[in-house]
Amino acid sequence: MIKEALKELSYAVFPKRCELCGEVVELDAKLCEDCMKSERITGKLCNKCGKPKEDCSCDKRTRTPEYKRVIAPYYYEGSIAAGANRFKDYGFPELGLKMSEEIISIIDEQYKDIEFDIVTFVPLTNEKLKKRGYNQSELLAKKIAEHMVLPCLELVSKIRETPQQKRSNARQRRVNLRGSFDLAKDIRVENKTILIIDDIKTTGSTLNECAYVLNAYGAKAVYAAAFCMTK
């Protein structure tokens, strides 16, 4: 209640905010200067990590993920990271509109030759969904599915809560997440090409575990997209 009241007060005092990060901007601006200057991820990207050659550190020893490819329009840094955190944890669901548009732009660029059947999203446990009030990845996925004229379905359920992942390394994340997802009730994914959406990709462990479940139940292929990824 206090967080919502402070948010409403801030919008009353500062009604115009950046559509990506939520910072106050001039009345005639849609984005703040920092977001306008934020580095975009473009060009030929690594299938494993989603980064261009100059930022990629993958080699033959790098684990091949369960998803075919992963993409994101931005790196998780600066104002982009601030916006992603506000969207996820501080009650700014309205930022998802512009974020979804940015994800759509890179989907249209990088996945233009792929015929998807379904758009889905990284799920939350019921406890976390109740506490947050919305699933940020679902908000993004619904807008993206609408643009692509595809169904947006919750294909994977999170069946147990996992430890806080922020301070875990890649191996710890994989261990923490194993067995925490399963196919949602009354869902079939056999021979479907699926696009799974998340807000932030760090190590990719969460997306990988969701893709693992979908593949295990017969999906034809799973591709991933997020709003931003760690550099």
Side-chain angles (χ1 to χ4, degrees):
M1 292 293 292
I2 294 176
K3 183 168 65 175
E4 285 299 315
L6 289 173
K7 180 185 169 185
E8 289 180 13
L9 177 62
S10 72
Y11 272 96
V13 178
F14 305 110
K16 185 65 175 176
R17 290 180 175 271
C18 173
E19 295 179 1
L20 272 184
C21 75
E23 283 295 326
V24 177
V25 295
E26 298 292 336
L27 290 176
D28 60 346
K30 291 186 176 181
L31 300 179
C32 68
E33 289 188 10
D34 288 341
C35 283
M36 286 191 288
K37 295 176 182 177
S38 294
E39 180 181 0
R40 292 188 66 87
I41 302 172
T42 59
K44 186 172 177 58
L45 307 178
C46 172
N47 290 347
K48 291 182 178 180
C49 70
K51 301 170 189 175
K53 183 177 180 180
E54 59 268 24
D55 296 328
C56 174
S57 59
C58 296
D59 56 29
K60 292 181 179 179
R61 295 169 295 177
T62 304
R63 293 170 63 95
T64 299
E66 291 286 335
Y67 45 78
K68 295 286 187 181
R69 291 187 63 190
V70 61
I71 56 174
Y74 292 103
Y75 285 120
Y76 180 71
E77 57 187 10
S79 63
I80 294 298
N85 291 335
R86 287 189 178 111
F87 176 53
K88 182 174 185 174
D89 293 320
Y90 294 96
F92 282 74
E94 61 274 14
L95 296 178
L97 178 59
K98 182 62 175 175
M99 290 179 179
S100 64
E101 291 175 359
E102 296 294 328
I103 300 172
I104 287 168
S105 70
I106 196 169
I107 288 172
D108 289 345
E109 174 191 324
Q110 297 288 337
Y111 290 164
K112 60 180 180 293
D113 297 325
I114 301 168
E115 293 187 11
F116 291 104
D117 297 302
I118 307 170
V119 177
T120 190
F121 49 89
V122 172
L124 299 177
T125 59
N126 290 333
E127 181 180 350
K128 185 165 285 187
L129 182 60
K130 184 177 180 180
K131 180 179 179 181
R132 187 171 292 167
Y134 59 91
N135 179 340
Q136 72 283 355
S137 298
E138 182 179 8
L139 295 183
L140 296 173
K142 284 182 175 179
K143 289 294 182 181
I144 292 165
E146 183 180 330
H147 169 80
M148 300 175 74
V149 196
L150 291 173
C152 180
L153 303 175
E154 184 173 358
L155 302 182
V156 179
S157 295
K158 194 166 187 183
I159 57 178
R160 68 175 178 85
E161 193 57 84
T162 50
Q164 178 61 255
Q165 297 278 68
K166 289 183 179 180
R167 292 181 176 83
S168 300
N169 59 35
R171 183 178 180 278
Q172 289 170 331
R173 286 171 183 258
R174 291 195 300 270
V175 172
N176 290 341
L177 288 166
R178 184 45 54 98
S180 60
F181 297 97
D182 199 0
L183 196 70
K185 186 178 179 181
D186 299 326
I187 288 293
R188 300 183 69 90
V189 296
E190 292 95 331
N191 299 314
K192 301 296 185 183
T193 300
I194 299 164
L195 175 61
I196 184 167
I197 303 298
D198 203 359
D199 55 336
I200 305 168
K201 172 193 172 283
T202 48
T203 64
S205 297
T206 302
L207 286 167
N208 190 74
E209 190 66 17
C210 291
Y212 172 82
V213 170
L214 295 171
N215 289 331
Y217 282 92
K220 181 178 180 181
V222 181
Y223 292 79
F227 169 62
C228 56
M229 64 173 65
T230 53
K231 190 170 185 179

